[in-house]
Amino acid sequence: MRSGRLWMFWLAAAVLAGAFVFAGAGLDFGYVIPKRLVRLAAIAVGGVCVALSAIVFQTLAGNRILTPAILGYEAVYLLWQSLLLLLLGTEGLAALGVGGNFAVSIALMLGYSWALQRWLLRSGANDVYLLLLLGLVLTMVIGTFTQFVQLRISPGEFAVFQGLSHASFNRARPETLALSALAVAAVCLAARRSLPVLDVLALGREQALSLGVDHARQVRRHLALIAVLVAVSTSLIGPTAFLGIFVAHIAYALAGSSRHRATLPLGCAVAIAIFLAAQLLVEHAFNYQTTVSILVNLVCGAYFLALVVRGRGTA
Amino acid sequence: MITVRNLHKAYGAKTVLSGISTAFPARRITSLIGPNGAGKSTLLMLMARLLPPSGGEVLLGGRSVAGIRTGEYARHVATLRQSPGFSMRLTVEELVAFGRFPHSRGVLTPEDRRAIDEAIAFLALEPLRGACIDEISGGQRQMAFLAMTIAQQTPVLLLDEPLNNLDMKHAVQIMRALRRLCDEQGRTVVLVIHDINFAANYSDHIVALKGGALHASGPTGEVVTEARLRDLYGLDFEIVRGARGCLCNYFNPRDN
């Protein structure tokens, strides 16, 4: 029953993927289909990143209405993009190239995450809530800086910035994709070994400690893995904001179990299916008049509101 | 046997425990009693290593627990906090299986399965085995958490108010189970408990705290006396001893 649902979602994702690659392509293997395969790969890598990072983050935080975005990774990304436009202009962006921008963005987000945790550890606090609070404040501070920078750039550059601040699968290049896939595969391998540990961490700090899990060390380790996933997905496809919550909740509802063995693979399938559906709609129904981000945020925002209203007191 | 030596705990300028030295005898049930804010739960948390002490040490069989790795400690001492209000979807069996984590790190061996079956049978939870823990009653959930702690198969169990929010029947069930754990399996049980009558009737040894200091400790018969309890709780007690145990009556104190 449970694995049946998982297979159903992978099947749905596969059907959507087939439709995405072949719809209206006229079997043009020279140009259209290779281009679409790159986007498909970006969707797969991005989906896995969003689902894994959101579910693991919710487990660590013991809270189901959060995503790693609250730690400010996406804010750092947006500040960097706007600074890039301010200092170097669109020519500079072009000179840096998609690959260069990708690499620098990842490095910046990892550095930010490292500094955040380092600072917290040095202050002796070992508290997930303090980390969340700090992340939230930094997100707002960095967001204000970004807005300030936006005031200084030209309207043309602002349009480019707007493009960068929405999730899009068109930015991915085979080289950046290969790098991302490698990083995500490494994280998945590490996460696979810690599936039972994640289940114990979900019981809360005290119960995890009395079951022999070094809580502080495991939280640090998993936050580092999350940082890699978020850095990769944000650099590859842009900020995804709400999507993680949406994906995690569908996975919890469908898995019928809170074991990470069940929720993580299902979450990946759900995220990929949602991305594919949104991209199909953008390409064929809306004819590029809207973006994946807008569609996803519209649906996820509505779902999130419903969740808060319906689940008040239990969430 | 767990001993604590000159244990202190302070939060900033506020001292919650000062200079506690006492022993918790092996293969016995010891109740930690005392009024609210006496430091009972804090003492238990220090023994469980969920909090670091500000001074002094906890000894497990003569060895300071500060030097024991978290993973190893969990094979010696199992702790159950007041079970959290909990939104995970897990079956009772899956929850109990967590008790085996310190032994098998999540990959269950046939021996683990046997321990899980035993713990479930020990508390007669077989009918609930496949039930989700967010769908059963508070008392049943408490039993399921206790089964997890039992499945951990540690010589020492530390329980923080295991009778909290339970009706009399569930409370008696849990206390009888603890008695059997101690008598049949030779485990050491230390529990924080508010109901003086359960403490008096089920425990072998009592440690009484008041205002963060040790008030009394010793075999139950020595600690549960009218004078001692009056002093501890600031209430007038009448102790009635009958064929089925003793009853500490504090419901209608005499005004003096």
Side-chain angles (χ1 to χ4, degrees):
Chain A
M1 167 89 167
R2 283 173 195 170
S3 62
R5 278 183 180 156
L6 178 61
W7 285 116
M8 208 180 72
F9 257 85
W10 280 117
L11 192 70
V15 169
L16 283 168
F20 173 69
V21 173
F22 294 111
L27 292 182
D28 176 0
F29 282 98
Y31 181 76
V32 176
I33 288 181
K35 282 273 182 201
R36 286 187 180 178
L37 283 177
V38 170
R39 264 176 284 161
L40 181 65
I43 286 172
V45 172
V48 168
C49 284
V50 167
L52 294 187
S53 63
I55 293 176
V56 173
F57 187 74
Q58 294 192 349
T59 293
L60 297 185
N63 187 316
R64 292 189 162 183
I65 51 172
L66 296 176
T67 65
I70 200 169
L71 292 183
Y73 297 112
E74 298 181 350
V76 168
Y77 170 80
L78 290 175
L79 177 63
W80 161 242
Q81 300 303 334
S82 60
L83 271 177
L84 203 58
L85 282 167
L86 176 69
L87 298 176
L88 300 175
T90 41
E91 306 85 22
L93 201 61
L96 194 57
V98 173
N101 196 355
F102 172 81
V104 177
S105 302
I106 285 196
L108 276 175
M109 278 182 271
L110 290 181
Y112 171 77
S113 160
W114 181 80
L116 196 64
Q117 288 206 46
R118 177 97 200 154
W119 182 83
L120 260 189
L121 286 183
R122 207 177 38 191
S123 70
N126 218 332
D127 190 347
V128 177
Y129 288 103
L130 190 60
L131 182 70
L132 295 181
L133 186 66
L134 192 68
L136 190 65
V137 171
L138 283 173
T139 306
M140 287 192 280
V141 171
I142 297 171
T144 313
F145 272 115
T146 310
Q147 280 176 3
F148 180 69
V149 172
Q150 282 171 24
L151 291 177
R152 312 283 310 169
I153 60 181
S154 71
E157 286 166 342
F158 184 72
V160 174
F161 174 76
Q162 280 249 299
L164 288 169
S165 63
H166 286 304
S168 157
F169 304 107
N170 304 326
R171 236 174 290 152
R173 297 287 173 273
E175 322 83 78
T176 58
L177 260 174
L179 263 176
S180 311
L182 217 64
V184 171
V187 169
C188 286
L189 216 64
R192 201 184 149 73
R193 285 223 324 268
S194 60
L195 284 178
V197 178
L198 281 171
D199 289 336
V200 176
L201 287 175
L203 295 172
R205 175 183 171 270
E206 290 180 341
Q207 207 56 63
L209 271 174
S210 35
L211 288 173
V213 169
D214 186 343
H215 186 262
R217 204 179 123 237
Q218 291 294 341
V219 166
R220 277 204 304 278
R221 186 178 117 86
H222 286 101
L223 280 176
L225 293 182
I226 288 173
V228 173
L229 291 173
V230 175
V232 164
S233 85
T234 308
S235 310
L236 192 69
I237 61 175
T240 47
F242 279 128
L243 183 72
I245 299 175
F246 190 51
V247 166
H249 276 271
I250 296 184
Y252 298 144
L254 292 180
S257 163
S258 294
R259 305 292 298 270
H260 288 80
R261 208 177 49 203
T263 54
L264 290 178
L266 194 59
C268 293
V270 168
I272 293 172
I274 290 176
F275 275 155
L276 276 169
Q279 185 70 13
L280 268 170
L281 283 175
V282 167
E283 290 187 10
H284 297 285
F286 293 100
N287 202 19
Y288 293 98
Q289 296 290 303
T290 182
T291 66
V292 170
S293 253
I294 291 174
L295 279 185
V296 164
N297 280 350
L298 185 71
V299 175
C300 297
Y303 177 81
F304 186 68
L305 277 181
L307 193 78
V308 171
V309 170
R310 202 188 44 165
R312 209 177 281 165
T314 61
Chain B
M1 178 166 89
I2 293 197
T3 25
V4 299
R5 202 188 282 158
N6 201 22
L7 212 53
H8 282 266
K9 180 69 190 174
Y11 295 102
K14 186 175 161 47
T15 303
V16 275
L17 278 184
S18 58
I20 309 279
S21 299
T22 187
F24 297 84
R27 292 182 293 285
R28 295 284 180 272
I29 293 183
T30 303
S31 291
L32 273 168
I33 62 168
N36 285 335
K40 307 179 295 289
S41 287
T42 306
L43 177 56
L44 199 78
M45 291 304 99
L46 292 176
M47 287 161 60
R49 302 207 319 179
L50 296 178
L51 288 175
S54 311
E57 58 182 351
V58 179
L59 302 166
L60 179 68
R63 181 176 164 205
S64 173
V65 303
I68 305 178
R69 291 173 64 95
T70 309
E72 193 197 335
Y73 199 62
R75 290 192 290 272
H76 293 294
V77 177
T79 310
L80 182 62
R81 288 280 275 150
Q82 296 159 28
S83 73
F86 195 81
S87 64
M88 284 175 78
R89 273 191 84 76
L90 291 172
T91 63
V92 168
E93 188 177 356
E94 284 175 317
L95 182 73
V96 178
F98 278 125
R100 299 308 296 168
F101 189 83
H103 302 272
S104 57
R105 311 297 293 179
V107 186
L108 296 179
T109 62
E111 191 196 335
D112 292 327
R113 303 231 171 255
R114 202 159 48 240
I116 294 165
D117 290 343
E118 271 173 29
I120 290 177
F122 191 82
L123 294 180
L125 286 172
E126 284 103 340
L128 296 174
R129 216 183 159 107
C132 258
I133 52 166
D134 54 357
E135 287 163 356
I136 57 182
S137 74
Q140 292 170 330
R141 193 175 313 141
Q142 187 71 10
M143 296 289 266
F145 272 93
L146 184 62
M148 171 180 84
T149 311
I150 291 172
Q152 212 169 326
Q153 293 196 327
T154 52
V156 180
L157 280 87
L158 306 176
L159 311 169
D160 190 9
E161 299 195 33
L163 307 185
N164 218 6
N165 296 323
L166 294 189
D167 60 22
M168 285 94 95
K169 188 172 173 211
H170 279 109
V172 168
Q173 261 179 2
I174 286 200
M175 290 310 291
R176 290 175 73 113
L178 295 180
R179 201 59 259 178
R180 278 167 52 221
L181 266 182
C182 181
D183 297 339
E184 294 169 13
Q185 304 186 4
R187 305 221 218 169
T188 308
V189 179
V190 179
L191 71 160
V192 172
I193 191 164
H194 267 295
D195 189 323
I196 183 65
N197 285 305
F198 274 118
N201 284 293
Y202 283 92
S203 45
D204 305 302
H205 195 88
I206 286 190
V207 171
L209 299 180
K210 187 179 183 183
L214 191 67
H215 184 263
S217 84
T220 305
E222 288 178 20
V223 178
V224 180
T225 62
E226 289 177 359
R228 279 249 164 89
L229 293 183
R230 185 185 309 125
D231 209 22
L232 179 64
Y233 290 103
L235 259 184
D236 184 42
F237 275 81
E238 179 193 16
I239 297 180
V240 187
R241 291 181 200 275
R244 294 164 67 177
C246 74
L247 180 67
C248 308
N249 187 346
Y250 51 88
F251 297 105
N252 298 298
R254 278 173 305 192
D255 297 315
N256 33 352

